[in-house]
Amino acid sequence: MKEYWSSLASLLGVLAFCQTLLQAIFPPELRFAAVKLFNQLFRCFSSYVYFDITEIDGVNTNELYNAVQLYLSSSVSISGNRLSLTRALNSSAITFGLSNNDCILDSFNGVTVQWEHIVTQRQAQGYLWRPLPEEKRGFTLRIKKKDKPLILDSYLDFVMDKAEEIRRKNQERLLYTNSRGGSLDSRGHPWESVPFKHPSTFDTLAMDPLKKQQIMEDLRDFANGQRFYQQTGRAWKRGYLLYGPPGTGKSSMIAAMANFLGYDIYDLELTEVHNNSELRKLLMKTTSKSIIVIEDIDCSINLTDRKKKSPVSGMRSYYDLPDFRCGGGNGGGYGSISGDDGGGNSITLSGLLNFTDGLWSCCGSERIFVFTTNHIEKLDSALLRSGRMDMHIFMSYCSFSALKILLKNYLNYEEDDLDSIVLNEIKDVIDKAKMTPADVSELLIKNRRCKNRAVTELLETLKSKAEKNEKNSGELRKKEMGLEEEEEQEKRTLDSPKEGSEFEEEEEDCRKETEEEEDDDHEKNNNFIQ
């Protein structure tokens, strides 16, 4: 055993002597050239090719490095032997990552690649005005030479797309609103944001399941339709109009759309926008993958159909005027007339149309415009056409299918859990009651601790509402019939010329008799005076 260690020590001493001799005989430049030549010979005979992706490219952050880091934080990296756990700012999930100098294998279209995370100490600071990190980080991608075209053409794009998807999924969604009076925040942005945590989803939305499925398919086709929109030459945007009575779930629908797609929401308050120019600037400051919302648009500015004319012939209608003031002194937020040179805050209908479907609407991609209104008949037809509002969604009163969803959400009741008699009674009166999902939800929330009482009170309320609506509709029919009878009577009076002419002749005779009597009295008086 001692002889073995003695031989090993002698061998190490010889190697050290040879290394010292080589360093003394061969200069550093020659040694560097020899190593470089050896590496080139090795690469020529090697079947692999290597790509280095550094964290910092010069002084700028390499987006590809961040994308690879996010991509490897998905299920791919779970198979690694040593992982690092991170949670980014504004992130809602913990992500995995490769530890320092660790390797992992990945496959794409049947091709196996190897990722290695290289971390080394930085020798010197290259830029004193911007200190660089002490550690130099990067990824090394090893692939076979024959697979090089496939990896460069498709795999890296796949990594970028997957990383963006993970970033959107983990990042906390935000709800934006435009600053009061168009003011800017500390970063120069006209939008203020808060975390968006609305729990509404399409599963909890009280709506006809078939209609919900159609909306979800349309949203899914839009989100995956980048190539389609490019081929057809259309801007990658879509418009939805939600209309119906108050309390039918229009705001909940918007929240469900945002949660379904993972988009941010920009709630635009038109009464805080000064003019069309500011409206365009707000649009430019919105990001892709977002939903731009204008709620109760008929109450923000006046958008009544321009084709309606004034009852007085030759006069311009109120809605034919070119400008509509926002936030004027007329109360209620309704538009008021604005002069051509009036210096006040004004948004024109043309500006809003260009906002939704003009050239400025194409300054971003993958954006959805959602308008809500309680009175669709008040909106201008130009705003409702396809290309601006592509899909009109009527948010109706609570139907039987929507009621079953509410019973499941609030009482955890399935259709089979209810008595068939009670279920049939509810089914008979639900359409006649015309109750909104908000009203039904309030009844169920109030009695959620006692499920039987909740169902009983709901049925009684539905019956009471149905009877009241039938009574009101009957009185309305009577009034309509009475008005029709009066109109018919007036029409008959106008259509009887003989009766009218006799009446006029009698009046003419009475007038003549009165005039003759006045003339006789006048002559008598003259004779008396004489």
Side-chain angles (χ1 to χ4, degrees):
M1 189 67 180
K2 291 183 179 180
E3 294 178 355
Y4 173 77
W5 286 111
S6 299
S7 301
L8 181 61
S10 301
L11 179 61
L12 292 175
V14 172
L15 292 175
F17 174 76
C18 293
Q19 182 182 6
T20 304
L21 183 62
L22 290 173
Q23 290 179 354
I25 296 174
F26 297 100
E29 293 81 2
L30 184 59
R31 295 198 306 269
F32 178 76
V35 172
K36 185 177 181 180
L37 179 61
F38 176 76
N39 290 333
Q40 289 180 354
L41 292 175
F42 176 77
R43 291 174 183 174
C44 291
F45 292 101
S46 176
S47 59
Y48 292 96
V49 63
Y50 298 84
F51 295 95
D52 293 330
I53 303 173
T54 58
E55 180 183 12
I56 298 177
D57 183 13
V59 295
N60 299 320
T61 302
N62 190 352
E63 292 185 3
L64 184 57
Y65 174 87
N66 297 330
V68 172
Q69 194 173 32
L70 274 177
Y71 171 71
L72 295 179
S73 68
S74 61
S75 59
V76 176
S77 64
I78 298 178
S79 60
N81 296 326
R82 188 174 182 178
L83 306 174
S84 62
L85 302 178
T86 57
R87 181 171 181 175
L89 185 65
N90 293 331
S91 176
S92 59
I94 297 176
T95 58
F96 299 92
L98 280 176
S99 297
N100 299 345
N101 302 318
D102 197 5
C103 299
I104 195 172
L105 297 178
D106 187 23
S107 60
F108 176 74
N109 291 340
V111 177
T112 302
V113 301
Q114 177 181 293
W115 289 99
E116 184 179 4
H117 193 205
I118 306 296
V119 180
T120 58
Q121 292 295 323
R122 194 178 298 276
Q123 298 299 327
Q125 294 288 341
Y127 300 91
L128 297 178
W129 60 272
R130 182 187 177 186
L132 296 176
E134 295 181 357
E135 293 180 338
K136 183 179 180 181
R137 294 183 175 89
F139 287 100
T140 298
L141 173 62
R142 191 191 74 173
I143 59 176
K144 292 183 179 181
K145 290 182 179 180
K146 64 177 183 179
D147 300 328
K148 182 178 178 181
L150 174 65
I151 296 301
L152 296 181
D153 293 341
S154 303
Y155 181 61
L156 295 180
D157 292 337
F158 170 76
V159 170
M160 294 289 289
D161 295 339
K162 189 69 176 179
E164 181 65 23
E165 180 182 345
I166 296 172
R167 185 182 293 109
R168 282 286 175 181
K169 183 179 179 181
N170 295 339
Q171 187 176 4
E172 189 175 43
R173 285 183 294 277
L174 298 176
L175 174 63
Y176 294 87
T177 183
N178 49 312
S179 303
R180 183 174 182 83
S183 59
L184 304 179
D185 61 5
S186 58
R187 297 174 299 171
H189 292 173
W191 295 97
E192 300 174 354
S193 64
V194 294
F196 178 71
K197 299 182 180 296
H198 201 292
S200 177
T201 63
F202 279 104
D203 293 332
T204 61
L205 194 63
M207 194 177 181
D208 180 50
L210 181 60
K211 186 182 293 186
K212 282 198 297 186
Q213 187 64 30
Q214 293 175 352
I215 297 172
M216 287 190 291
E217 290 178 357
D218 189 77
L219 291 171
R220 193 180 294 111
D221 292 340
F222 169 78
N224 300 327
Q226 181 178 9
R227 182 174 300 178
F228 169 77
Y229 281 89
Q230 289 178 350
Q231 290 177 352
T232 55
R234 291 172 59 94
W236 194 8
K237 65 180 183 61
R238 192 154 180 82
Y240 293 86
L241 177 67
L242 309 181
Y243 67 99
T248 52
K250 292 185 283 294
S251 298
S252 299
M253 168 65 77
I254 297 172
M257 294 168 67
N259 290 328
F260 180 73
L261 295 175
Y263 287 5
D264 294 332
I265 295 180
Y266 288 85
D267 187 12
L268 178 60
E269 180 59 48
L270 287 180
T271 57
E272 295 295 337
V273 182
H274 291 169
N275 46 51
N276 294 337
S277 177
E278 186 176 320
L279 187 64
R280 289 193 296 267
K281 292 178 181 178
L282 286 170
L283 180 64
M284 291 170 59
K285 291 296 183 178
T286 59
T287 61
S288 299
K289 294 182 181 293
S290 60
I291 300 176
I292 302 173
V293 179
I294 302 179
E295 292 194 277
D296 297 325
I297 188 172
D298 55 306
C299 297
S300 298
I301 60 176
N302 214 324
L303 298 175
T304 305
D305 196 338
R306 293 167 297 173
K307 295 181 180 179
K308 295 180 179 180
K309 299 299 180 181
S310 175
V312 181
S313 61
M315 293 182 61
R316 298 183 68 186
S317 173
Y318 174 88
Y319 308 110
D320 291 334
L321 293 171
D323 294 331
F324 304 102
R325 291 268 183 102
C326 292
N330 55 336
Y334 284 86
S336 62
I337 300 176
S338 172
D340 296 336
D341 299 322
N345 302 341
S346 61
I347 299 177
T348 64
L349 178 60
S350 174
L352 186 62
L353 297 180
N354 291 328
F355 174 81
T356 57
D357 193 33
L359 293 176
W360 287 100
S361 67
C362 309
C363 61
S365 62
E366 200 171 351
R367 289 186 297 195
I368 292 177
F369 293 87
V370 179
F371 292 172
T372 69
T373 179
N374 298 332
H375 306 283
I376 189 175
E377 67 278 359
K378 291 184 178 181
L379 301 183
D380 193 283
S381 58
L383 189 65
L384 303 178
R385 72 166 179 82
S386 300
R388 293 181 178 126
M389 296 294 106
D390 302 290
M391 193 171 186
H392 297 187
I393 303 174
F394 176 60
M395 308 297 292
S396 61
Y397 290 104
C398 187
S399 61
F400 183 67
S401 58
L403 179 62
K404 291 190 292 184
I405 297 175
L406 293 176
L407 291 174
K408 182 179 179 180
N409 293 341
Y410 292 98
L411 305 180
N412 199 20
Y413 263 160
E414 298 289 346
E415 187 175 359
D416 298 335
D417 298 335
L418 292 173
D419 184 42
S420 58
I421 299 176
V422 175
L423 203 62
N424 291 331
E425 291 181 354
I426 293 176
K427 189 175 183 179
D428 292 337
V429 297
I430 184 67
D431 293 331
K432 301 176 183 177
K434 294 183 178 181
M435 288 185 64
T436 63
D439 295 334
V440 176
S441 300
E442 184 59 31
L443 284 175
L444 299 180
I445 291 174
K446 184 176 64 176
N447 300 310
R448 64 183 182 276
R449 298 184 182 276
C450 184
K451 298 181 180 180
N452 293 330
R453 185 173 63 187
V455 175
T456 303
E457 185 173 346
L458 174 62
L459 180 58
E460 293 176 355
T461 305
L462 290 173
K463 289 181 178 179
S464 175
K465 289 280 187 179
E467 292 177 358
K468 184 178 179 180
N469 291 337
E470 289 181 356
K471 182 178 179 181
N472 292 337
S473 61
E475 293 178 355
L476 182 62
R477 283 195 298 269
K478 290 180 180 179
K479 290 181 179 179
E480 291 178 352
M481 293 177 63
L483 291 175
E484 290 178 356
E485 290 179 355
E486 291 180 0
E487 290 178 356
E488 290 180 356
Q489 185 174 1
E490 291 179 358
K491 187 177 181 180
R492 285 196 301 268
T493 303
L494 295 174
D495 292 342
S496 55
K498 294 181 179 180
E499 296 178 358
S501 60
E502 291 178 357
F503 181 75
E504 291 176 356
E505 290 177 357
E506 290 178 357
E507 284 188 345
E508 185 67 19
D509 294 339
C510 292
R511 185 178 61 80
K512 290 181 178 180
E513 291 179 359
T514 304
E515 290 178 353
E516 291 177 355
E517 291 177 357
E518 291 179 354
D519 293 339
D520 293 339
D521 294 337
H522 184 67
E523 291 179 356
K524 290 180 180 179
N525 291 333
N526 290 335
N527 295 330
F528 178 77
I529 292 173
Q530 292 176 356

